[in-house]
Amino acid sequence: MEAIANSHYIRVMPFLLEGLKYTLLITIVGLIFGFILGAIFGLARLSNNKLIYGLATVYVEVVRGTPILAQILFIYFGLSDLLELNIDKITASIIAIAINAGAYIAEIVRGAVYSIDKGQNEAGRSIGLTKAQTMRYIIWPQAFRRMIPPLGNQFVISLKDTTLFSVIAVGEMLYMGQQYYGKTFAAFQALTMVCIMYLIITIPTSVYLRRVERRLDV
């Protein structure tokens, strides 16, 4: 028992649990803002206004067409230099997740709304609802049900993307694992536990999403 307790697989855990706090904080807060951005730009991509549609399309294509690592460095170093601001590492990480995930969520929103039968919109207008009211009370609730599985997948993707924040020394799980094996040289054990910690989060999430998908029949 003493050998197990003193093994690197156990001794690295306090480091990883400390990193887990930041991993979940960045992922959850980033995705909340990402969903807001995604909803706005996703609906904008359905607009008949060419300017609104064009701006939304530029945002989506630029973000999806550039690596998230480049976006992280641009936000943390580039914007700090341009605006002469000292952007906190955690704040920069949340902004990066929000902007990156927002572009992909915009396409999820656009696809979900577009998939709703056009007759639903016509039915809403026929009973006297405005276009906005039809979207709010008829289209959006149905579309949101269809968004749930891909939004869950985006959570898993963004969670794994947090490992990239180690390049700006954010204390997420991978960075904390690196700190541990930098002191102990137990790289195999530390990185094994990092992978296991991510699997502990992602596998139950994936299983739950499949159940939700079956229950919603989407």
Side-chain angles (χ1 to χ4, degrees):
M1 291 298 292
E2 184 178 348
I4 295 174
N6 289 325
S7 73
H8 291 295
Y9 294 106
I10 301 300
R11 290 166 59 188
V12 74
M13 288 306 297
F15 287 78
L16 300 187
L17 291 174
E18 179 67 22
L20 179 62
K21 294 190 304 185
Y22 292 106
T23 295
L24 293 177
L25 172 67
I26 293 167
T27 303
I28 294 170
V29 177
L31 283 178
I32 289 172
F33 287 106
F35 180 77
I36 294 170
L37 286 175
I40 292 171
F41 284 98
L43 294 175
R45 291 263 285 164
L46 296 168
S47 175
N48 293 323
N49 185 299
K50 292 184 178 180
L51 177 60
I52 294 175
Y53 173 82
L55 291 173
T57 299
V58 168
Y59 163 69
V60 170
E61 295 303 327
V62 168
V63 173
R64 295 204 307 165
T66 53
I68 185 173
L69 181 57
Q71 295 165 16
I72 294 164
L73 296 174
F74 178 81
I75 292 168
Y76 186 62
F77 294 110
L79 287 184
S80 294
D81 182 58
L82 177 66
L83 303 176
E84 297 183 351
L85 294 174
N86 184 20
I87 302 177
D88 178 77
K89 290 182 288 189
I90 300 299
T91 301
S93 301
I94 290 172
I95 292 171
I97 286 291
I99 291 175
N100 183 268
Y104 290 92
I105 292 172
E107 288 299 278
I108 292 171
V109 170
R110 183 187 67 83
V113 172
Y114 191 76
S115 71
I116 303 301
D117 190 278
K118 292 182 179 180
Q120 298 287 321
N121 186 61
E122 294 169 0
R125 302 303 294 275
S126 69
I127 61 175
L129 297 179
T130 65
K131 187 175 182 179
Q133 289 173 328
T134 301
M135 173 60 70
R136 178 180 177 183
Y137 295 112
I138 298 178
I139 305 299
W140 184 260
Q142 296 179 70
F144 185 74
R145 290 174 67 249
R146 301 186 182 187
M147 295 178 208
I148 292 175
L151 286 176
N153 291 333
Q154 185 60 50
F155 169 80
V156 172
I157 292 169
S158 295
L159 179 78
K160 293 186 292 184
D161 283 344
T162 60
T163 57
L164 297 172
F165 297 128
S166 60
V167 299
I168 58 172
V170 173
E172 44 72 48
M173 281 199 292
L174 178 60
Y175 180 81
M176 296 304 290
Q178 291 172 324
Q179 292 299 298
Y180 180 82
Y181 73 69
K183 296 176 181 178
T184 63
F185 303 102
F188 177 82
Q189 295 92 328
L191 293 175
T192 296
M193 293 308 296
V194 169
C195 292
I196 288 173
M197 288 292 288
Y198 276 101
L199 289 173
I200 288 172
I201 300 170
T202 58
I203 290 177
T205 300
S206 298
V207 171
Y208 176 74
L209 288 172
R210 284 195 292 271
R211 289 181 178 177
V212 170
E213 189 171 352
R214 288 196 298 268
R215 184 175 301 173
L216 294 177
D217 191 26
V218 295

